[in-house]
Amino acid sequence: MPPKKRPALSKTSGNESKRKKTVMKLEEKVKVLDVLKEGKSFAVVGRYFNVNESTVRYIKKKEAEIRKSVSMSYFGSAKTVATVQDKTIVKMESALVFWIKDCWKKNVPLDSNIICEKA
């Protein structure tokens, strides 16, 4: 005789969507690091920014990479830190972003081919 299956413990019907994964922007991570420098505990900072204490500890562990990334080229909407080996690539990408934003201001139509040529 096969074992009986247990009923699900949750009272929901299973039609609810999963919780969305949120990623902090670099700007927010720098604010977390600044608050930590003031002497606040990891738990207090986590509650203030509505993130887990382990997330705050991880941000503190990666402090050097986060601050370096922000100082090299800062974009307010950036969410991740990417380490690049060649500094000429970083300069080229910064110049390319500046050019793209300038084209947007002038209402110049852009597509991926034009951007690749410019790069």
Side-chain angles (χ1 to χ4, degrees):
M1 191 151 131
K4 294 182 181 179
K5 290 186 178 182
R6 294 185 195 180
L9 294 176
S10 67
K11 295 180 181 177
T12 60
S13 62
N15 294 336
E16 295 179 14
S17 62
K18 292 184 178 180
R19 183 176 60 96
K20 298 267 185 182
K21 181 179 178 183
T22 57
V23 179
M24 293 178 76
K25 294 180 181 179
L26 287 176
E27 174 183 305
E28 295 169 332
K29 291 179 182 180
V30 170
K31 288 179 184 177
V32 167
L33 292 170
D34 292 341
V35 173
L36 282 173
K37 282 201 178 216
E38 293 174 1
K40 306 283 186 189
S41 69
F42 293 110
V44 170
V45 174
R47 272 182 260 140
Y48 180 76
F49 286 97
N50 199 24
V51 293
N52 223 345
E53 180 182 347
S54 62
T55 304
V56 177
R57 290 181 186 275
Y58 184 77
I59 291 170
K60 176 67 176 166
K61 182 179 176 183
K62 299 287 185 178
E63 178 176 12
E65 293 177 27
I66 292 169
R67 291 196 186 272
K68 181 180 177 185
S69 178
V70 169
S71 67
M72 289 179 77
S73 60
Y74 176 73
F75 303 106
S77 62
K79 294 185 179 182
T80 59
V81 177
T83 55
V84 179
Q85 305 299 332
D86 192 2
K87 294 188 183 204
T88 56
I89 293 174
V90 174
K91 290 179 183 178
M92 185 274 302
E93 286 180 345
S94 296
L96 186 64
V97 168
F98 181 75
W99 176 77
I100 290 172
K101 287 183 179 182
D102 187 49
C103 287
W104 285 345
K105 287 178 184 176
K106 296 177 181 176
N107 292 326
V108 176
L110 294 175
D111 65 356
S112 59
N113 293 332
I114 295 171
I115 295 172
C116 287
E117 283 181 28
K118 186 67 174 180

